[in-house]
Amino acid sequence: MALKKIEIKNVTVFENVNMEFNEGINIFIGENGMGKTHIMKLLYAACKSAKTDVSFPQKVVRVFRPDGSNIRRLVSRKRAGETASVKIYSDDANIGMRFTTKTNKWAAKVTNEAIWEKQLADLSCTFIPAKEILSNAWNLEAAVGSNNVEFDDTYVDIVMAAKIDISAGRDTHDRKRYLEILQGITSGKVTVEKERFYLKPGTQAKIEFNLVAEGIRKIALLWQLIKNGTLEKGAILFWDEPEANINPKHIPTIVDMLLELQRNGVQIFISTHDYFLAKYFEVKKEDTDKIRYYSLYDNDGAVEYEQNTNFRDLKNNDIMDTFLSLYESEIDKVM
């Protein structure tokens, strides 16, 4: 069940943003501080709150980690005296919350929680953070729970998602094809032993994850999520900066994989600063693929956005502007 829309008022960097999504791939671009990851975290928290034992505002606090676990610290600093609100829509349900600078902890007022839980009870969602975490997975959940280390829930959740095996029986034809492609990059399969992740290259001895290049570890994580059945039809994937620490020659393969997942019913949200990643989606997409770009930008101190199905047609496109500036500088030097 796809996410359709988000309405944000006076939360973090946003004053008033209403954004609609498609059921395929949604790509956020923009300078640092424009709230790309914030949007994905709010959507992710709403998805996770479809479980009856997860509260929407508490999950928001756990993925943002404000001081003192106080949701009031997420109120926009520019409009600190006003009420902050978030509302997220799926196909036939929505969930919302309201809070102010006087709200204690995560005691925001939640609306439509019961209907949201009923309609999205079987929803599977996964958030891949920008920084690889599986190499530090051992005892992570217990350490965070004991306040010995501080990671937001996107890191804890991805470790738990990678450890479980919810697939049953043989790999499907599509899954086997995905795995073979990714295995060609990682040169091995992911194994988990006593909460520790390893990469096993064929018949060779397993290699500790922290001895593997970070870019390969990120691709291996995608391999594991496909292998264990996490990314199946109806699931939602959030991926913050997929290009981080990945060899540029592997970007086309990552794009191909995400396009295929979208074709097989996985809704995808991505934030990126990378020209090649953003452009490859435009180059490789087919007519039936659903791709939408969202460019977030500053307009006199307020974050606004534009959207387009074509990367090249975005008017506020700092990635393209930087690329063209480099190209012009190179031409000037040659001339």
Side-chain angles (χ1 to χ4, degrees):
M1 186 174 293
L3 298 178
K4 293 294 188 181
K5 182 180 179 181
I6 187 170
E7 298 174 351
I8 313 173
K9 292 184 179 181
N10 306 323
V11 177
T12 64
V13 299
F14 301 107
E15 292 184 17
N16 192 349
V17 167
N18 298 326
M19 187 178 290
E20 295 184 357
F21 310 113
N22 70 32
E23 60 187 17
I25 300 177
N26 302 273
I27 305 169
F28 302 109
I29 69 169
E31 296 182 10
N32 290 328
M34 292 296 102
K36 301 181 299 296
T37 303
H38 286 190
I39 290 175
M40 295 204 302
K41 283 187 172 183
L42 289 170
L43 293 170
Y44 176 69
C47 289
K48 299 300 283 187
S49 67
K51 304 301 181 185
T52 56
D53 59 345
V54 179
S55 157
F56 182 27
Q58 185 177 17
K59 192 64 177 179
V60 167
V61 165
R62 293 187 62 86
V63 298
F64 279 92
R65 287 283 180 176
D67 284 355
S69 296
N70 286 308
I71 198 169
R72 62 175 177 261
R73 294 194 59 78
L74 301 183
V75 176
S76 171
R77 306 301 162 91
K78 295 179 181 179
R79 297 181 175 272
E82 298 187 21
T83 298
S85 65
V86 178
K87 196 170 186 177
I88 294 167
Y89 299 79
S90 69
D91 294 310
D92 50 12
N94 65 77
I95 189 170
M97 67 173 178
R98 300 167 63 87
F99 55 95
T100 71
T101 53
K102 296 182 179 180
T103 301
N104 187 42
K105 295 293 184 181
W106 49 82
K109 183 178 180 181
V110 182
T111 56
N112 301 324
E113 187 174 42
I115 297 175
W116 184 260
E117 291 173 353
K118 181 179 179 180
Q119 296 294 331
L120 283 76
D122 298 325
L123 179 64
S124 172
C125 62
T126 305
F127 192 112
I128 303 179
K131 182 175 177 57
E132 186 278 325
I133 192 65
L134 296 194
S135 55
N136 299 304
W138 183 77
N139 213 26
L140 178 67
E141 185 180 21
V144 171
S146 301
N147 293 319
N148 291 328
V149 296
E150 186 169 303
F151 285 97
D152 73 60
D153 264 17
T154 61
Y155 290 95
V156 178
D157 291 349
I158 194 59
V159 168
M160 299 305 295
K163 284 196 292 188
I164 62 175
D165 185 358
I166 61 177
S167 62
R170 287 184 167 186
D171 293 330
T172 64
H173 173 75
D174 288 334
R175 187 188 298 170
K176 186 177 295 185
R177 182 161 52 89
Y178 298 155
L179 296 176
E180 288 174 352
I181 294 172
L182 293 178
Q183 195 170 321
I185 299 176
T186 61
S187 300
K189 302 178 180 180
V190 179
T191 62
V192 187
E193 298 179 16
K194 297 180 180 179
E195 296 192 17
R196 297 182 188 272
F197 287 83
Y198 299 87
L199 190 66
K200 194 173 189 309
T203 59
Q204 301 177 37
K206 63 182 184 289
I207 304 172
E208 296 92 325
F209 241 52
N210 59 312
L211 298 181
V212 178
E214 182 168 352
I216 297 299
R217 295 199 302 262
K218 293 186 73 173
I219 295 172
L221 168 59
L222 185 60
W223 185 97
Q224 177 69 357
L225 294 174
I226 292 173
K227 174 65 178 175
N228 71 14
T230 298
L231 298 179
E232 298 285 351
K233 182 177 181 179
I236 300 177
L237 171 64
F238 303 89
W239 197 347
D240 196 7
E241 298 182 22
E243 74 278 3
N245 296 304
I246 288 183
N247 190 319
K249 74 177 184 179
H250 297 317
I251 294 297
T253 301
I254 296 297
V255 170
D256 284 335
M257 292 293 302
L258 294 174
L259 285 170
E260 281 296 319
L261 287 171
Q262 169 259 160
R263 291 165 191 155
N264 287 303
V266 177
Q267 188 181 27
I268 298 171
F269 294 86
I270 294 169
S271 74
T272 183
H273 294 282
D274 188 70
Y275 172 81
F276 295 103
L277 182 76
K279 191 64 177 178
Y280 265 120
F281 277 109
E282 186 175 66
V283 170
K284 287 177 166 288
K285 71 177 180 178
E286 298 176 358
D287 291 342
T288 55
D289 291 330
K290 298 179 177 65
I291 310 291
R292 189 178 296 173
Y293 296 89
Y294 304 83
S295 175
L296 287 84
Y297 60 94
D298 181 273
N299 183 17
D300 292 331
V303 174
E304 296 184 1
Y305 79 97
E306 65 168 313
Q307 61 179 340
N308 206 297
T309 54
N310 292 314
F311 179 69
R312 63 182 178 273
D313 292 334
L314 290 169
K315 296 178 181 179
N316 296 278
N317 190 337
D318 69 302
I319 297 178
M320 181 66 82
D321 292 344
T322 302
F323 180 81
L324 291 176
S325 177
L326 174 61
Y327 177 73
E328 291 169 357
S329 297
E330 186 177 19
I331 294 298
D332 289 342
K333 186 172 184 180
V334 171
M335 297 300 290

